[in-house]
Amino acid sequence: MSSDFESYEQDFAVLTAEITGRIGKVPKLVGDDKKQMVANVEKQLEEARELLEQMELEVREIPPQSRGMYSSRMRSYKQEMGKLEADFKRSRIAYSDEVRNELLGDDGNSSENQRAHLLDNTERLERSSRRLEAGYQIAVETEQIGQEMLENLSHDREKIQRARERLRETDANLGKSSRILTGMLRR
């Protein structure tokens, strides 16, 4: 299990190194090359997020006594991921501001603040959507487990009722045999 986690760690390290290199290149490129680089970085950031999710799943399966070490690693990886996303956002803002300044010929500081604010809000919405999806998934799994438990309880109830019925029949038979034996003893 920890070998899977370590494999994910290596993949994450390689991927974040590539992302860092590409983020550094974004402001230096122009035109379609820049657009393509931005798209590639976005794709790689999504891959890194998926790797983090896989790593979290692996940590959940690790025995509790050794989980602490892996949990602290996960926190540092999440911090690194947040830093990469912030760096990428800054490089995208710089990229879009350069294009706007070239077209309009002004510096528009308030526009930059609005854009940053909109990007922050968009990221918050995306995070909230992911949390809602995860919560929904947990609710569905919980419902399935509840249904299975109800079915098991129903089967157990039927078994108990059959056993109770057999006990009543046995009790009735014992009563009859007791009366017969009592009658035989009197004769």
Side-chain angles (χ1 to χ4, degrees), residues 53-123:
E53 289 175 9
Q54 289 297 322
M55 290 165 71
E56 281 183 24
L57 291 174
E58 288 296 323
V59 168
R60 289 180 189 160
E61 294 179 11
I62 293 174
Q65 58 269 22
S66 58
R67 194 178 297 164
M69 175 181 69
Y70 292 100
S71 294
S72 64
R73 285 188 194 173
M74 282 303 300
R75 279 191 294 276
S76 68
Y77 293 141
K78 287 179 183 177
Q79 288 173 349
E80 185 176 351
M81 188 67 192
K83 182 183 175 297
L84 281 175
E85 288 174 342
D87 290 347
F88 180 58
K89 183 171 68 170
R90 279 194 291 276
S91 73
R92 274 194 341 205
I93 290 171
Y95 161 65
S96 59
D97 283 346
E98 288 172 12
V99 171
R100 185 184 49 77
N101 289 340
E102 287 176 16
L103 292 173
L104 299 176
D106 67 348
D107 57 5
N109 237 354
S110 65
S111 175
E112 180 179 322
N113 290 338
Q114 288 175 349
R115 184 172 290 114
H117 187 66
L118 286 173
L119 285 172
D120 283 340
N121 287 341
T122 302
E123 286 180 14

Side-chain angles (χ1 to χ4, degrees), residues 3 105 151:
S3 64
E151 288 174 11

Side-chain angles (χ1 to χ4, degrees), residues 1-16:
M1 199 171 308
S2 63
S3 64
D4 289 338
F5 184 83
E6 290 168 3
S7 170
Y8 290 137
E9 278 183 312
Q10 291 173 354
D11 293 346
F12 185 75
V14 168
L15 194 57
T16 54

